Amino acid sequence: EAQVTQNPRYLITVTGKKLTVTCSQNMNHEYMSWYRQDPGLGLRQIYYSMNVEVTDKGDVPEGYKVSRKEKRNFPLILESPSPNQTSLYFCATRGGGEVAHTQYFGPGTRLTVL
Amino acid sequence: AQSVTQPDIHITVSEGASLELRCNYSYGATPYLFWYVQSPGQGLQLLLKYFSGDTLVQGIKGFEAEFKRSQSSFNLRKPSVHWSDAAEYFCAVSRGAGNMLTFGGGTRLMVKP
């Protein structure tokens, strides 16, 4: 079954404690991205990756890092989380060809930073 | 700058009634447009998309949307709403070299019995 998985699904942490949210896909897609969802703002893109070792900033990259060492994995790293990063995070992936613009989303990770 | 606007934050309809959710976009080039649905506690599911061709597109769960270039709109419709349609709906446009998605703020749909 084609899927995008994220771990953990829920996380409560404290300010300044580094954390990583993992994202993995089994669809062999080259493109992966991270979004955060906040009430009234919809989803905003944090970072995206067009392929292994190729990453670029989205609309709200401040305070986040990513890496793409393998095609299937695209972890999101918060080196020093702050309360304003409390949000619902989604990983997404898309393929090429005629479905190149259609993104598929993971189940989400709800992060609370105290 | 590209943007997507969903004017209605909340909408309540009776079960069996028709539904229209509004979406307006601002984008210079030919847009790729999407509607996603997010049920409570769930991720986003693609309802339908418009890339080109017929401006009326059919999606899953009985939804359809019409692209109107002159009005920069891509409204979502359903002729008869079911209680299970209660969810949050997001309109999005694909843009840029990275095909990043810009989302609207979402419309939360409630369905009255």
Side-chain angles (χ1 to χ4, degrees), chain B residues 2-92:
Chain B
Q2 296 85 0
S3 66
V4 179
T5 303
Q6 295 178 244
D8 305 303
I9 298 174
H10 297 277
I11 283 185
T12 301
V13 300
S14 298
E15 190 168 17
S18 63
L19 171 71
E20 182 170 31
L21 302 183
R22 296 183 290 164
C23 172
N24 294 97
Y25 66 90
S26 170
Y27 187 59
T30 300
Y32 297 90
L33 295 159
F34 305 83
W35 274 99
Y36 285 87
V37 60
Q38 183 180 31
S39 297
Q42 303 297 311
L44 279 81
Q45 181 181 22
L46 179 67
L47 280 177
L48 49 78
K49 59 192 176 187
Y50 172 78
F51 288 176
S52 64
D54 192 348
T55 56
L56 184 64
V57 293
Q58 302 297 320
I60 62 171
K61 304 185 178 186
F63 285 92
E64 65 178 27
E66 186 171 13
F67 170 59
K68 293 185 177 180
R69 185 186 299 276
S70 61
Q71 298 177 19
S72 296
S73 69
F74 188 56
N75 294 347
L76 181 71
R77 301 194 295 247
K78 187 170 185 178
S80 178
V81 171
H82 187 263
W83 64 266
S84 61
D85 293 323
E88 189 157 21
Y89 292 79
F90 293 95
C91 181

